[in-house]
Structures are given as structure tokens and as C-alpha cells.
Amino acid sequence: MTQPDLARPEQPQPKAKRAASATRRRGATLEHALLDAAWDELQSSGYAKLTMERVAERAGTSRAVIYRRWRNRSELVVAAMRYRQPVLSGAAPDTGTLRGDVLALLRRASARITAIGPDTVIGMLSDLLSADEAFNQILEQLLRSGGEVMSGVLDRAVARGEARDDVSPRVARLPLDLLRYELIFTHQPPSQRTLEEIVDEIFLPLVLRIDT
């Protein structure tokens, strides 16, 4: 009696390969998956323990795929933060007064830093300081985004007759720069009292219109 050929297994591999190819992530879909994985890993493990290998495992891909887009951990985390919870995203607050607008903006930025985690921001900045090119890029982006949002706030204040129309970009960014200063040196977001001191005692005296 002829024995059945048990040594020849069924071979569905070509079909499986076709299915894998059909579901392979590319372009924006892949990038969003990587950023989601980086954000989730950041929330789960913290910045100090986040590695490209862990993010790749969480995203179901390889480290090489991540390194083709971001050169290091800090660049990946910056991208993930921008994707999920940009500190300065959203329309500039319009409370009807310059003081109210700036305080609302600082409180929103401070709340988002709290949600991200001060240690994450501090660790990221420390890594960036050791990479001149990346640091310069992030610094330029921070200055530009901070300048844009504060320009909007000041333009409304000028239209209301509250603020001078010749405020320099450096002075305009001052509240946000001081918020970052407090974060770096205290390792925690500024208190509400500190935010009010930044606005009332430092910023407003520099920009309010004084009629003579």
C-alpha cells in the first residue's frame, strides 16, 4: 500500500506574502504609526528609558525604519510631541485684554508641559544641547512659533490701544522665554504666581502704551 506523502506540507507562503504586502504601511500612515508608538512609549517609560528599539517594537517595525526619518531619540520625541500635543498649538487666546491673553497663553503652555512631563522636556533639551545642528533647528522653530503667537496677541492689543506698536521680537517672546527658563532651572512648570509676576512685573511694563 502506498503511504501518503506526509513530508510535503502545504505551502501558503505566497498568499501570506501578498497579504503582508497589501497591508504594508507607507508614507504618512507609517510615520503616524511611528509617532504614536514614540508618544505611547514616552508616556509608559519616560524619556530616560525611551529607546529606538522599544519604539520600533511597539510600532511593529525595525529601528532602521525610524533612523531613516529621525537621527536620534531627541528628534523623534520632538516630532512626537509636535504631532500629539504641541505646546503652542491652537489659536492665540482672546480674553479682551493683553494681560488676560498672555496669562491664558502661559497657563495653556504650562498645562501642556505638565501633561508631557517636565522631565521629558528637560531630558530632551539636554540631549539637544549635545547636538549642535539639531539644537539650532529646534531653537529656530521655538523662536519662530513663539514669535508668531505673541505677535498675534500684541497685534490685538495694539488695535485696542493697549500696547505700543514698536515692540521688538525679543521683547514680544519674553513671557514664553521666561516660562522655559523657569522650567529648566526648577524642573517643574511655573506656578500661577510666577506666571502672574512674569506678566505683571516684567512684560506689561515693557509693552503697554503710555499716553503723555
Side-chain angles (χ1 to χ4, degrees), residues 171-190:
V171 173
R173 294 192 309 266
L174 189 57
L176 295 173
D177 290 342
L178 290 175
L179 184 150
R180 283 188 285 268
Y181 173 89
E182 289 288 333
L183 173 65
I184 291 170
F185 281 91
T186 67
H187 285 217
Q188 60 185 3

Side-chain angles (χ1 to χ4, degrees), residues 78 82 128 133-143:
V78 168
R82 287 196 187 122
L128 287 170
E133 183 179 351
F135 178 77
N136 289 335
Q137 290 177 352
I138 297 302
L139 179 61
E140 189 274 333
Q141 291 164 359
L142 285 173
L143 294 178

Side-chain angles (χ1 to χ4, degrees), residues 8-198:
R8 184 179 298 169
E10 296 183 5
Q11 298 186 14
Q13 289 89 342
K15 183 177 180 180
K17 288 182 180 179
R18 285 195 298 272
S21 297
T23 58
R24 185 175 297 162
R25 297 165 298 177
R26 298 180 184 277
T29 300
L30 174 58
E31 185 162 311
H32 292 170
L34 295 173
L35 293 174
D36 282 333
W39 179 263
D40 292 342
E41 184 64 27
L42 185 65
Q43 299 302 303
S44 174
S45 302
Y47 184 81
K49 295 181 179 179
L50 184 144
T51 64
M52 296 299 212
E53 184 174 6
R54 288 190 178 192
V55 173
E57 182 178 354
R58 188 182 285 269
T61 188
S62 67
R63 287 180 298 173
V65 171
I66 300 177
Y67 278 115
R68 282 199 291 269
R69 290 162 175 80
W70 301 283
R71 291 172 297 180
N72 51 52
R73 176 177 64 172
S74 58
E75 287 189 10
L76 172 60
V77 170
V78 168
M81 288 167 59
R82 287 196 187 122
Y83 173 64
R84 292 297 296 268
Q85 198 168 14
V87 171
L88 293 177
S89 66
D94 188 358
T95 66
T97 68
L98 178 58
R99 180 181 189 273
D101 290 353
V102 179
L103 276 175
L105 180 65
L106 293 181
R107 286 167 179 157
R108 186 173 71 188
S110 182
R112 289 177 177 174
I113 290 171
T114 300
I116 292 169
D119 288 342
T120 292
V121 179
I122 296 297
M124 180 189 66
L125 290 174
S126 297
D127 277 1
L128 287 170
L129 284 172
S130 63
D132 290 342
E133 183 179 351
F135 178 77
N136 289 335
Q137 290 177 352
I138 297 302
L139 179 61
E140 189 274 333
Q141 291 164 359
L142 285 173
L143 294 178
R144 184 176 65 249
S145 60
E148 289 172 353
V149 70
M150 286 303 301
S151 290
V153 168
L154 281 168
D155 286 346
R156 285 201 304 263
V158 170
R160 290 192 297 256
E162 284 185 279
R164 303 185 350 251
D165 61 2
D166 59 347
V167 176
S168 70
R170 185 183 300 275
V171 173
R173 294 192 309 266
L174 189 57
L176 295 173
D177 290 342
L178 290 175
L179 184 150
R180 283 188 285 268
Y181 173 89
E182 289 288 333
L183 173 65
I184 291 170
F185 281 91
T186 67
H187 285 217
Q188 60 185 3
S191 66
Q192 294 301 308
R193 180 177 178 180
T194 298
L195 295 181
E196 291 176 359
E197 288 177 349
I198 289 173

